[in-house]
Amino acid sequence: MAVSAQSSQIPHTQHLPNPQFPKTHKLETIGFSHKLQTHQISFRKTQEMTVCSTSSISTQNPNSDLNELCRHGNLEKALKLLDSMQELQIKVEEDAYIALVRLCEWKRTHEEGARVYSYVSNSTTLLSVKLGNALLSMFVRFGNLVDAWYVFGRMGERDVFSWNVLVGGYAKAGFFDEALNLYHRMLWVGIVPDVYTFPCVLRTCGGVPDLARGREIHVHVIRFGFESDVDVVNALITMYVKCSAVGSARMLFDRMPRRDRISWNAMISGYFENGEFLEGLRLFLMMLESSVYPDLMTMTSLISACELLGDRKLGREIHGFVMRTEFAEDVSVCNALIQMYSIIGHFEEAEKVFSRMEYKDVVSWTSMISCYGNNALPDKAVETYRMMEREGIMPDEITIASVLSACACLGHLDMGMKLHELAYRTGFISCVIVANTLIDMYSKCKCVDKALEVFHGIPGKNVISWTSIILGLRINNRCFEALIFFRQMKLSLKPNSVTLVSVLSACARIGALMCGKEIHAHALRTGVAFDGYLPNALLDMYVRCGRMGSAWNQFNYNKKDVAAWNILLTGYAQRGQGRHAIELFDRMVESHVDPDEITFISLLCACSRSGMVGEGLEYFRSMKLNYSITPNLKHYACVVDLLGCAGQLDDAHEFIQKMPINPDPAIWGALLNACMIHKQVELGELAAHQILKMDTESVGYYVLICNLYAQCGKWEEVAIVRKMMRKRGLTVDPGCSWVEVKGKVHAFLSGDNFHPQTKELNAVMEGFYEKMRSVGFREPESSPTDEVEASKAEIFCGHSERLAVAFGLLNTAPGMPIWVTKNLYMCQSCHNTIKFISKVVRREISVRDTEKFHHFKDGSCTCGDEGYWGSSNK
């Protein structure tokens, strides 16, 4: 049973000669009145107006006039004459109708063709073979298979051409199963197929693909004696390569007594399509040796093969061969060369091809824009689009999508919105590729609500649409919604490995371990657990959810590439376990895995958070000497953090001044953070001044400045910085904590009193505060009562983790560990409070803040009371 490529909406009638027609296709015959002669004078006047411009046309026979107008291609006048003949009830001869139908088909005039068909329908019940075939050909050319089917049903007789046209129409439209059924009906009614039948039928077998049905048609080819016809054998070769039976195709090819250029092209492209590039190239050389000159199809196939192979040397050789042929200036060949150089990473060669082109079409411009995008040059992609606009070339949907991708990389929201407007005006917004890229652009430009608008406006959402919005919500820290959208997606579509990577990132962000485990199980069930980056995404999820045991299991059962080692190193760095990180790094080197730049960032962070200054500096020095990795700005920032957190602020400042590259805001930010920890206001203000000279938009640096002043009790300066933030429209994300209970994630915002258990949670916390006071603890800031405390709660912490811990205590069994994830730093007050709670309730409580893990047990924390803002090593 063949499988349809798409569901046909055209019902097949069981009895072809007598199909059922809808009311719009009534069978009706117009009878001519004997009073026709009384209208002769009136008709002649009409005739004079209609055909006065063509003196050679006879005025005695309107049907011959109609034929003559059609021969001259004058469709407008021909239709006016037809209207007059219908009004005067003058019979239109079949040949005149056929001439009109063929003219409508030639001019691709859909409405006029339908108009002629309506006249035909009203004038006759059954269609002759000639007229029926003409109508069939027209409707199939227009892609109107519904009317083509009705015409087919109204034909009194059908010849092989009738069947061929309809079978070919269904095959071209992708209704492969219907096309094959028609072919078998054709045989059943006794029509013998001809040389034109088999290419149509074989196209359907290749399109499904259905090798068994294709072999059956091959038998029919032999039975009816067409095994030596070049066109039919070419169609057989194409069918076999589409069905991945390259060996059968080559056997046919080798047995051909005569081959044309299409035979060679079919076999060569068949090898390329099935990944047998070397065989395809060998056959191309045989083609040249056989004195068969390649054509445009051959050239583009060769270039595409080089693109898929990624072979730069071969690509250049093919380019050199093309330049010696007549196709050197052909637009489609040049476009293929640009695309090839884009994929293999030689954008300079693509630029040369593009600049030498005398004529550039929209594909040329789009290929060059995509080339820049593929090679991480979004600014050049945008500039090329502007040049395209100046040249007056109208973009297509692929162009708009390519430029939107560049805007997403650059954060060019204004231009992205202009392209959105252009997509609306041109109708390209209905193209799902444009809508998907708009979602990506708005998400990366921090306008996720606009991305949601675009998403909800897509009528036919595909997997990429859902993946784009899930990832967009994740990168905008709306992970809760990302998980909701993922559950909605699964109701209608099957997520792919990229979707799962995006959702796992959301799970890792909010500590949704059970959801992450569900995705892991789903990946195993669907067989994608080992696809692409998914194994490492699962590893990252377990690490960030604090489950190092599960993380090690995932690590041991999958490919251990450098990314996997880096994820584990980052996990130890977040826990401040420098010794474990160093041991892991040694194992990595012993396993012959070469470290990369990210490896050393994780290693330096681990040393910094463990106070291992000497070891960290030694690893920094070894990067260039032992591993040929040139330190970048991130590595320098790690060293500043390493020195600063250890209290060596002067050394950190001196290190910045002696850097061989100019420091960026992140490096000064590391120094500012160290000054905040060690309450060094003067040096901190110097670092803040340097930061604000380069970056006035990143809210994180303002928070660090506020932290510095708050640590030193300079609340007036805090107020000044906050006023500056408000003036520049900068807002701080409210404190939010997540806790997973019984597989469901619960979120708690700072100052949020809308949770259904708010009263119980506050009562639990008040009970702990009372116990803390009774044993001599300083009363924590349970609720901000003045401007100073409000500033602390809003900017630094928010205290949301307390509610999350209380919720975990209320809703889990005694003794169960509680895992909380937080979006801001943990303050000293919250740190002391949760230490106390862990001792009282005798539970393990883990809180992952924006920087590291805090594991509380029996009144102590693994960070050694140095992992929250407000702590100091002094």
Side-chain angles (χ1 to χ4, degrees):
M1 182 69 182
V3 181
S4 224
Q6 49 181 292
S7 298
S8 173
Q9 296 178 353
I10 305 164
H12 276 279
T13 311
Q14 293 299 318
H15 304 287
L16 284 171
N18 299 295
Q20 300 298 315
F21 301 110
K23 293 181 180 178
T24 54
H25 293 281
K26 288 192 296 184
L27 299 179
E28 193 175 303
T29 304
I30 299 176
F32 292 105
S33 171
H34 67 279
K35 297 181 180 180
L36 176 61
Q37 293 178 353
T38 63
H39 295 282
Q40 193 165 355
I41 296 173
S42 172
F43 168 70
R44 283 177 178 170
K45 289 180 182 178
T46 307
Q47 186 180 10
E48 287 169 8
M49 290 187 293
T50 310
V51 299
C52 60
S53 62
T54 312
S55 58
S56 62
I57 297 177
S58 169
T59 58
Q60 298 301 317
N61 188 345
N63 281 290
S64 65
D65 293 340
L66 198 54
N67 279 310
E68 193 68 22
L69 286 169
C70 291
R71 276 195 295 274
H72 285 81
N74 199 332
L75 181 59
E76 185 179 353
K77 288 187 177 181
L79 288 171
K80 285 182 180 178
L81 179 56
L82 178 66
D83 290 339
S84 299
M85 292 173 70
Q86 292 294 326
E87 184 182 343
L88 299 173
Q89 297 185 352
I90 298 174
K91 183 176 181 180
V92 182
E93 294 175 356
E94 184 176 282
D95 287 344
Y97 272 134
I98 292 170
L100 267 171
V101 169
R102 287 175 177 167
L103 183 59
C104 291
E105 179 183 351
W106 179 65
K107 292 202 168 193
R108 305 289 198 277
T109 51
H110 294 229
E111 290 184 10
E112 289 79 357
R115 189 163 136 203
V116 173
Y117 177 51
S118 69
Y119 284 143
V120 172
S121 297
N122 291 329
S123 64
T124 181
T125 305
L126 292 177
L127 300 173
S128 68
V129 173
K130 282 181 66 178
L131 180 55
N133 285 348
L135 286 165
L136 270 176
S137 179
M138 178 186 73
F139 283 129
V140 167
R141 180 68 61 87
F142 292 168
N144 183 353
L145 294 181
V146 174
D147 282 327
W149 176 253
Y150 286 129
V151 166
F152 189 77
R154 293 183 65 173
M155 294 174 67
E157 294 181 19
R158 307 176 189 92
D159 60 11
V160 67
F161 179 85
S162 317
W163 290 92
N164 286 349
V165 169
L166 199 59
V167 169
Y170 275 106
K172 188 176 180 181
F175 298 120
F176 302 123
D177 203 43
E178 288 80 355
L180 287 169
N181 287 339
L182 273 172
Y183 168 71
H184 285 290
R185 287 192 184 193
M186 169 184 166
L187 297 179
W188 183 72
V189 297
I191 300 293
V192 177
D194 63 8
V195 70
Y196 301 105
T197 310
F198 290 110
C200 296
V201 180
L202 289 166
R203 179 193 289 176
T204 68
C205 299
V208 173
D210 188 338
L211 182 60
R213 194 76 73 94
R215 292 191 188 279
E216 180 186 335
I217 304 301
H218 192 171
V219 172
H220 291 184
V221 168
I222 297 169
R223 181 191 302 166
F224 291 108
F226 294 105
E227 67 271 21
S228 299
D229 186 273
V230 175
D231 294 330
V232 173
V233 178
N234 289 346
L236 278 167
I237 290 171
T238 303
M239 180 273 296
Y240 278 121
V241 297
K242 294 287 183 187
C243 294
S244 302
V246 188
S248 299
R250 183 59 188 267
M251 193 181 300
L252 270 175
F253 178 82
D254 290 338
R255 290 176 179 175
M256 291 179 75
R258 183 176 65 85
R259 306 183 189 101
D260 60 9
R261 193 177 284 110
I262 296 172
S263 314
W264 290 94
N265 286 342
M267 198 64 239
I268 290 168
S269 62
Y271 275 126
F272 293 154
E273 286 173 17
N274 286 276
E276 298 187 28
F277 302 108
L278 293 178
E279 285 299 320
L281 291 169
R282 288 193 189 101
L283 194 61
F284 170 68
L285 294 176
M286 282 178 57
M287 178 182 182
L288 297 179
E289 290 169 3
S290 302
S291 301
V292 180
Y293 197 72
D295 62 4
L296 191 61
M297 172 72 179
T298 323
M299 293 291 97
T300 51
S301 292
L302 278 173
I303 296 167
S304 299
C306 296
E307 175 189 324
L308 293 169
L309 271 173
D311 192 318
R312 297 182 180 185
K313 184 179 178 182
L314 180 61
R316 285 184 169 183
E317 288 179 358
I318 296 296
H319 187 182
F321 176 81
V322 169
M323 294 303 291
R324 296 191 296 273
T325 68
E326 64 197 62
F327 305 110
E329 303 298 325
D330 187 89
V331 175
S332 58
V333 169
C334 291
N335 293 344
L337 284 168
I338 293 170
Q339 178 69 13
M340 177 195 73
Y341 282 124
S342 168
I343 296 300
I344 64 178
H346 268 206
F347 72 90
E348 300 95 340
E349 295 296 326
E351 285 177 328
K352 290 177 185 176
V353 175
F354 183 75
S355 62
R356 288 172 186 162
M357 293 175 69
E358 290 184 11
Y359 170 73
K360 303 178 182 77
D361 60 9
V362 65
V363 179
S364 314
W365 289 96
T366 304
S367 299
M368 199 65 236
I369 291 167
S370 299
C371 175
Y372 286 131
N374 293 338
N375 289 275
L377 296 166
D379 49 346
K380 284 198 169 190
V382 170
E383 181 56 36
T384 305
Y385 174 71
R386 291 190 173 120
M387 287 169 57
M388 178 182 173
E389 280 186 317
R390 289 194 291 270
E391 292 288 327
I393 305 294
M394 192 66 186
D396 62 10
E397 68 273 22
I398 308 298
T399 318
I400 293 174
S402 301
V403 185
L404 281 169
S405 293
C407 293
C409 294
L410 296 168
H412 284 185
L413 179 60
D414 291 342
M415 188 172 185
M417 293 180 77
K418 287 178 183 176
L419 287 165
H420 191 174
E421 292 170 7
L422 175 64
Y424 264 118
R425 289 198 308 272
T426 56
F428 291 133
I429 192 68
S430 61
C431 299
V432 71
I433 186 174
V434 173
N436 291 346
T437 320
L438 277 168
I439 293 170
D440 182 60
M441 185 274 297
Y442 280 125
S443 299
K444 289 177 179 174
C445 291
K446 307 300 179 185
C447 295
V448 72
D449 289 324
K450 288 287 290 181
L452 285 165
E453 282 181 26
V454 175
F455 175 80
H456 290 306
I458 301 174
K461 301 175 184 68
N462 60 16
V463 173
I464 299 173
S465 312
W466 287 94
T467 303
S468 298
I469 196 62
I470 289 167
L471 181 59
L473 290 164
R474 162 62 190 95
I475 63 179
N476 284 274
N477 292 323
R478 289 166 66 166
C479 300
F480 242 0
E481 290 173 77
L483 298 183
I484 292 169
F485 271 76
F486 174 66
R487 294 189 187 282
Q488 290 175 353
M489 175 190 179
K490 287 201 297 182
L491 298 175
S492 57
L493 285 172
K494 180 182 176 182
N496 61 20
S497 60
V498 181
T499 317
L500 299 182
V501 168
S502 302
V503 184
L504 284 167
S505 176
C507 294
R509 176 71 182 86
I510 61 176
L513 178 67
M514 292 308 296
C515 182
K517 284 185 172 180
E518 286 176 17
I519 293 167
H520 193 173
H522 172 85
L524 290 168
R525 285 196 306 271
T526 55
V528 298
F530 305 100
D531 290 359
Y533 188 71
L534 190 56
N536 287 342
L538 286 162
L539 176 62
D540 180 65
M541 183 272 297
Y542 284 123
V543 167
R544 296 180 68 187
C545 287
R547 304 313 201 268
M548 291 303 290
S550 300
W552 270 104
N553 288 336
Q554 176 69 12
F555 178 78
N556 289 328
Y557 286 106
N558 288 280
K559 181 183 176 183
K560 300 175 182 64
D561 58 10
V562 66
W565 290 95
N566 289 345
I567 291 167
L568 281 180
L569 280 169
T570 302
Y572 285 123
Q574 287 177 333
R575 286 159 180 74
Q577 296 174 338
R579 292 293 170 196
H580 288 300
I582 290 173
E583 289 172 10
L584 185 65
F585 176 75
D586 291 339
R587 281 184 58 186
M588 175 182 176
V589 174
E590 289 169 6
S591 301
H592 306 290
V593 177
D594 293 328
D596 60 10
E597 295 176 346
I598 298 172
T599 309
F600 284 98
I601 291 172
S602 299
L603 199 55
L604 290 169
C605 286
C607 292
S608 174
R609 292 171 187 176
S610 304
M612 301 166 65
V613 179
E615 292 88 338
L617 292 173
E618 184 58 35
Y619 282 120
F620 180 77
R621 283 190 287 268
S622 71
M623 285 177 62
K624 184 74 173 176
L625 293 173
N626 300 341
Y627 302 100
S628 301
I629 298 174
T630 302
N632 60 30
L633 287 166
K634 291 183 179 179
H635 298 106
Y636 284 103
C638 289
V639 174
V640 173
D641 185 63
L642 175 74
L643 295 168
C645 288
Q648 301 176 23
L649 297 176
D650 292 334
D651 293 338
H653 187 208
E654 185 181 351
F655 179 80
I656 294 173
Q657 291 174 318
K658 291 181 178 179
M659 280 173 54
I661 52 178
N662 292 327
D664 66 351
I667 288 172
W668 289 108
L671 182 61
L672 176 60
N673 182 61
C675 292
M676 181 268 295
I677 293 172
H678 299 286
K679 302 180 182 180
Q680 295 292 319
V681 177
E682 186 176 344
L683 186 57
E685 287 179 333
L686 184 149
H689 177 71
Q690 294 293 333
I691 290 169
L692 296 179
K693 282 200 301 186
M694 293 180 277
D695 186 351
T696 59
E697 300 299 323
S698 298
V699 69
Y701 295 127
Y702 291 94
V703 173
L704 274 177
I705 297 167
C706 287
N707 284 354
L708 171 66
Y709 287 131
Q711 276 287 81
C712 303
K714 296 191 173 186
W715 291 99
E716 290 183 5
E717 284 80 357
V718 171
I720 292 170
V721 175
R722 292 196 62 198
K723 185 178 179 181
M724 188 188 307
M725 291 171 65
R726 285 193 295 269
K727 186 178 179 181
R728 290 177 178 166
L730 302 174
T731 56
V732 182
D733 288 339
C736 184
S737 294
W738 299 272
V739 61
E740 189 175 40
V741 174
K742 298 175 184 176
K744 185 176 179 181
V745 179
H746 300 263
F748 296 89
L749 281 171
S750 300
D752 181 10
N753 294 317
F754 295 102
H755 193 278
Q757 287 185 273
T758 296
K759 287 184 180 179
E760 295 94 322
L761 299 179
N762 289 333
V764 168
M765 291 310 303
E766 284 299 329
F768 285 124
Y769 298 150
E770 184 63 35
K771 288 180 180 178
M772 290 175 74
R773 285 192 292 269
S774 68
V775 294
F777 269 81
R778 178 175 174 268
E779 182 178 357
E781 306 95 334
S782 59
S783 61
T785 56
D786 56 27
E787 187 177 349
V788 170
E789 296 305 330
S791 295
K792 286 183 180 180
E794 180 183 343
I795 298 179
F796 310 133
C797 174
H799 311 324
S800 57
E801 62 267 51
R802 302 183 193 184
L803 292 174
V805 169
F807 182 85
L809 292 171
L810 279 176
N811 295 279
T812 58
M816 288 289 293
I818 297 171
W819 296 80
V820 174
T821 304
K822 186 178 181 188
N823 68 333
L824 300 177
Y825 288 99
M826 176 179 273
C827 70
Q828 183 176 1
S829 174
C830 289
H831 197 268
N832 291 337
T833 302
I834 296 175
K835 274 203 307 182
F836 180 82
I837 292 173
S838 71
K839 186 175 183 179
V840 171
V841 300
R842 295 182 182 179
R843 287 216 212 181
E844 291 185 29
I845 302 173
S846 294
V847 179
R848 190 190 85 208
D849 68 12
T850 191
E851 189 169 286
K852 69 182 301 181
F853 276 91
H854 301 268
H855 292 285
F856 300 93
K857 184 178 180 181
D858 297 328
S860 62
C861 178
T862 53
C863 74
D865 294 345
E866 296 177 355
Y868 51 87
W869 84 266
S871 63
S872 174
N873 292 340
K874 285 188 175 182

